[in-house]
Amino acid sequence: MEVRPGGKQTEMGVFPKDWNEGSLKDLVDPNRTIRYGIVQPGKFDPQGRFMIRGQDYSRGWVEPSELFRVSPTVEKPFENARVITGDVLITIVGASTGRIAIVPDWLDGANLTQTTARVALRREQINAVYCSYVLASSLGAKQVANYLKGAAQPGLNCSDIEKFRIPLPHPTEQQSIATALSDMDALLEGLDRLIAKKRDLKQAAMQQLLTGQTRLPGFSGQWEVKLLGDHVTFLRNGVNSRAELRPEGQVKYLHYGDIHASTGSILSPQALPSLPDAKATRLDRLRDGDLIFADASEDIAGVCKSVELRDTRDIEVVSGLHTIAARFDKTVLADGFKGFLQYCPTFASHLRRHAAGTKVLATNRAHIASVEMRLPDVAEQEAIAAVLSDMDSELVALEARRDKTRALKLGMMQELLTGRIRLVESVTGASEQPASQADGQQANIHFKRSVLAAEIIDRLHAEPTFGHVKFEKVMFLVEHLCAVDTGSTYLRKAAGPYDNRALRSIDSQLRKQQWFDCRKEGERYRYLPMAHWGGHKHYFERYFADITDTFENVLQTFKTLETERCEIVATLLSAWSDLLQTEGPVSDERIVHEVLNNWHKSKERIPKDRWLKALGWMRSRGFVPKEGA
């Protein structure tokens, strides 16, 4: 390997000359060696200690309610395996061996299973977040592969993990690398939450528009009942396996696997494999607007999976093994709308009800032809399809942005963790400025969020009604009514709009700045002032001077209200804002319908008339979305 100028060759590869290298054995706390946890966890104990499994962090941390708990009797012999905030975790057994995570604040004191090992680092020698990125990178993956044992159940020994080598730049450069990569992860998490929210919005829109519960402007009148068999022609399909296909050829071949792999309702055939001409002579050619079903699925959700063809001009396309190709009368089912047929509750439930099989569920032409359902006229179908297609396009763009960001992060890891790109400011000793020295700098959005949170908590923490849940609702109301962007993405949860990751981040930042500590007292969480209580004030005045009046109004209004009333207002404001995005101005009845039917089932505990009264109260106070004012 070529050694670049200023570099040196090591066992791990080429690194800068001023970087050192060490083994994990030399970098861990000698009093908390690398080890795994509980071997036989026994039965779930609802009052027991959290026990971390590899599956709990394999795709980001699960919710606390999904974690296993073990009894004190089972956990006691393994108390030396407990973790503290900031410890590094590595999965050591199974297909996910080598997966890495950092212990968050809320799992401080938890224990582990035997499938997960704890790496308790000497924090004065190595930055734990930096180390976690090294272990999660190709540098770590190679070492995992070198020491991996077993075929049926691959795994690592703790003694082997001790031998892992870690490149060691100056601590300030470690911090800067960790910060840069953490910022990329925060961006990716934000995109994931935004995509999840957009999917929820699309699902709600389909539920309303495809059933006629909500009508688009300009459309009225009753939908007509149609028997699909009266308006469909089924086309001849092939039965060729993938082994018979070719990368190139004149006739494109749509296999049922292509349908199940599709993430949208529309499919263009250009990238499909080809069937030799001689084997396609008796098959019907497909056209734009043809609807192709997969006739077999391993689960009930996939029974009605289908795609509508697009862009078939100048391309010959045939449908293949385990597909059903249907050509509907375009005066009954409009192009663009047919692809969304699979999401119509009447259509989907009919096919799922008639699906036959045990391990594999199958549908057929007769099942499709026997569907009887209410349909709007073609003009309304086209309008519905346009709305849903726009939402699909937005999702596709967001997913592409996320994929590009993920690829960029992987490239950054490779460059930063090998020193090909140096964060010069760190090497020269200019460490990252703490919050107390950030004057004149553009504030990180998450730091600004913690400043806003600190002011809310400072004003309300002494109130008997104030805790974690009410704080989350007031935070949401301040953000939306004051038009403040904090990078949060709220999801539709039982207690109203909720962003669990943002809440955890805020609690961590408040504790880090020594402003407030969030502690559980009995059945609720309380915020308690810390050593630097009030230290956020001058940041608040700088960042949020332009929202003072609205901020005061919100806090004074909700200061003494019970948590449930805050939940009602926050939920209504969130649902109203979402509807404005998808449908434009809506009635109070429509907003309440959205809350009671497309939110969490727990909302049904609150009577409909109370929701409607709350909307009237919100209007009178001016607590409405900006577009609905």
Side-chain angles (χ1 to χ4, degrees):
M1 181 181 293
E2 181 182 353
V3 178
R4 60 185 177 270
K8 63 182 179 182
Q9 182 70 53
T10 73
E11 293 179 28
M12 299 181 67
V14 178
F15 292 92
K17 287 182 177 179
D18 60 336
W19 284 24
N20 295 318
E21 185 180 312
S23 68
L24 281 180
K25 182 178 181 179
D26 295 331
L27 295 170
V28 297
D29 183 341
N31 298 315
R32 302 178 66 238
T33 56
I34 297 174
R35 63 163 299 167
Y36 57 81
I38 298 167
V39 178
Q40 296 290 338
K43 294 183 179 180
F44 178 84
D45 182 347
Q47 303 303 317
R49 187 180 296 271
F50 281 134
M51 184 187 72
I52 302 170
R53 305 161 294 182
Q55 68 205 60
D56 296 327
Y57 57 82
S58 62
R59 296 183 179 178
W61 284 104
V62 299
E63 295 293 325
S65 60
E66 299 177 54
L67 282 165
F68 198 88
R69 288 179 180 266
V70 288
S71 68
T73 303
V74 170
E75 195 267 341
K76 182 68 175 176
F78 298 91
E79 62 183 4
N80 288 337
R82 290 174 187 169
V83 299
I84 64 174
T85 301
D87 280 348
V88 177
L89 303 179
I90 179 170
T91 305
I92 58 173
V93 177
S96 297
T97 297
R99 193 65 57 86
I100 304 297
I102 291 280
V103 176
D105 294 345
W106 58 280
L107 279 174
D108 188 85
N111 213 312
L112 307 169
T113 65
Q114 63 177 334
T115 65
T116 302
R118 176 200 67 202
V119 180
L121 297 164
R122 296 181 179 182
R123 308 292 174 85
E124 71 278 8
Q125 288 188 325
I126 184 169
N127 182 289
V129 177
Y130 165 79
C131 184
S132 73
Y133 281 118
V134 172
L135 294 172
S137 73
S138 60
L139 298 173
K142 289 176 183 176
Q143 298 184 82
V144 169
N146 287 341
Y147 290 105
L148 201 61
K149 296 178 176 66
Q153 183 76 327
L156 293 169
N157 294 327
C158 290
S159 58
D160 290 331
I161 298 173
E162 290 180 341
K163 301 172 187 174
F164 283 16
R165 307 293 294 177
I166 306 294
L168 296 171
H170 188 279
T172 54
E173 189 168 6
Q174 292 181 33
Q175 176 62 53
S176 293
I177 292 171
T179 299
L181 295 176
S182 295
D183 286 346
M184 292 298 290
D185 276 337
L187 178 57
L188 284 167
E189 289 177 4
L191 286 170
D192 282 337
R193 293 195 299 273
L194 182 57
I195 288 169
K197 180 175 181 178
K198 294 295 184 181
R199 284 178 180 155
D200 288 344
L201 287 172
K202 180 193 168 188
Q203 185 64 40
M206 288 194 298
Q207 176 67 29
Q208 297 297 316
L209 295 174
L210 297 175
T211 59
Q213 294 179 48
T214 295
R215 306 292 292 276
L216 294 173
F219 296 100
S220 59
Q222 294 295 314
W223 288 10
E224 293 186 19
V225 176
K226 302 285 186 182
L227 178 65
L228 295 188
D230 293 339
H231 310 282
V232 66
T233 299
F234 292 106
L235 309 174
R236 286 174 296 178
N237 62 281
V239 292
N240 309 83
S241 69
R242 284 207 181 273
E244 300 175 72
L245 306 182
R246 303 289 181 267
E248 301 293 336
Q250 184 176 349
V251 182
K252 297 295 185 181
Y253 187 85
L254 179 59
H255 191 268
Y256 78 100
D258 299 313
I259 298 173
H260 282 300
S262 174
T263 57
S265 59
I266 302 294
L267 186 142
S268 296
Q270 285 83 353
L272 294 176
S274 298
L275 185 68
D277 295 357
K279 297 183 178 184
T281 53
R282 296 187 178 183
L283 306 183
D284 288 325
R285 272 37 177 183
L286 305 179
R287 302 197 298 249
D288 279 11
D290 287 344
L291 192 61
I292 319 300
F293 296 85
D295 74 1
S297 173
E298 294 181 355
D299 60 80
I300 194 68
V303 165
C304 55
K305 179 66 176 175
S306 59
V307 291
E308 182 179 340
L309 278 188
R310 184 79 51 83
D311 304 324
T312 62
R313 181 179 297 179
D314 301 325
I315 300 177
E316 290 188 67
V317 189
V318 297
S319 67
L321 186 66
H322 292 306
T323 67
I324 300 171
R327 183 169 293 159
F328 288 95
D329 183 346
K330 295 190 179 187
T331 64
V332 175
L333 281 172
D335 285 355
F337 181 81
K338 290 190 283 286
F340 295 106
L341 203 62
Q342 60 192 303
Y343 305 111
C344 295
T346 302
F347 182 85
S349 62
H350 180 91
L351 292 193
R352 289 167 182 164
R353 189 167 60 250
H354 288 83
T358 51
K359 292 185 177 180
V360 176
L361 299 169
T363 191
N364 57 42
R365 290 174 168 84
H367 295 160
I368 296 168
S370 63
V371 174
E372 195 172 40
M373 60 186 299
R374 293 169 58 247
L375 289 170
D377 61 32
V378 169
E380 188 170 359
Q381 288 180 33
E382 290 173 343
I384 291 171
V387 170
L388 297 180
S389 295
D390 285 347
M391 299 180 85
D392 273 342
S393 297
E394 186 177 14
L395 275 168
V396 168
L398 284 171
E399 288 166 352
R401 180 184 169 196
R402 178 191 59 192
D403 293 345
K404 184 176 181 180
T405 302
R406 185 177 291 125
L408 178 61
K409 179 208 164 183
L410 291 175
M412 285 178 61
M413 288 178 69
Q414 183 65 25
E415 298 298 302
L416 292 175
L417 296 174
T418 59
R420 290 195 188 98
I421 293 178
R422 304 294 300 274
L423 299 178
V424 179
E425 292 179 346
S426 294
V427 178
T428 57
S431 62
E432 183 183 19
Q433 288 182 311
S436 60
Q437 297 175 8
D439 290 356
Q441 303 287 334
Q442 182 179 3
N444 176 282
I445 192 169
H446 295 148
F447 178 68
K448 291 180 67 175
R449 179 171 65 192
S450 68
V451 170
L452 183 64
E455 182 64 15
I456 293 171
I457 295 167
D458 183 51
R459 303 279 291 277
L460 302 182
H461 74 277
E463 295 296 324
T465 61
F466 191 74
H468 236 178
V469 177
K470 183 171 178 178
F471 163 67
E472 176 82 10
K473 305 317 150 202
V474 175
M475 186 77 177
F476 171 86
L477 291 166
V478 167
E479 289 178 28
H480 284 70
L481 295 174
C482 298
V484 174
D485 178 15
T486 67
S488 300
T489 304
Y490 291 89
L491 302 178
R492 297 183 170 195
K493 295 292 185 178
Y498 184 58
D499 185 341
N500 191 37
R501 286 186 175 87
L503 189 60
R504 292 176 186 171
S505 173
I506 288 169
D507 287 348
S508 176
Q509 186 66 242
L510 294 176
R511 192 177 300 113
K512 178 181 178 181
Q513 299 296 335
Q514 293 283 294
W515 293 339
F516 288 96
D517 187 21
C518 185
R519 296 182 188 173
K520 189 171 184 179
E521 296 182 355
E523 295 301 314
R524 66 186 303 178
Y525 286 88
R526 304 286 297 188
Y527 285 95
L528 303 177
M530 297 181 71
H532 297 159
W533 178 24
H536 72 282
K537 288 289 186 180
H538 66 284
Y539 296 115
F540 180 79
E541 292 170 2
R542 185 196 320 159
Y543 300 146
F544 301 107
D546 56 339
I547 67 165
T548 302
D549 292 343
T550 306
F551 181 82
E552 288 290 337
N553 186 23
V554 173
L555 260 61
Q556 287 301 317
T557 301
F558 292 94
K559 181 176 181 178
T560 59
L561 295 187
E562 67 271 18
T563 300
E564 188 175 76
R565 286 191 66 184
C566 298
E567 173 195 339
I568 290 173
V569 177
T571 302
L572 288 169
L573 185 65
S574 179
W576 193 351
S577 298
D578 289 346
L579 288 170
L580 283 170
Q581 290 184 41
T582 58
E583 301 177 20
V586 289
S587 66
D588 288 2
E589 286 282 347
R590 174 69 187 93
I591 298 169
V592 173
H593 183 277
E594 180 73 9
V595 168
L596 296 179
N597 292 276
N598 294 313
W599 202 284
H600 194 279
K601 193 171 179 62
S602 67
K603 300 302 179 189
E604 296 176 4
R605 79 185 190 278
I606 301 172
K608 179 180 177 180
D609 62 340
R610 190 174 177 193
W611 292 105
L612 290 169
K613 288 179 181 176
L615 277 171
W617 178 84
M618 290 168 64
R619 290 185 189 278
S620 70
R621 296 292 186 111
F623 294 154
V624 300
K626 295 301 180 183
E627 300 90 336

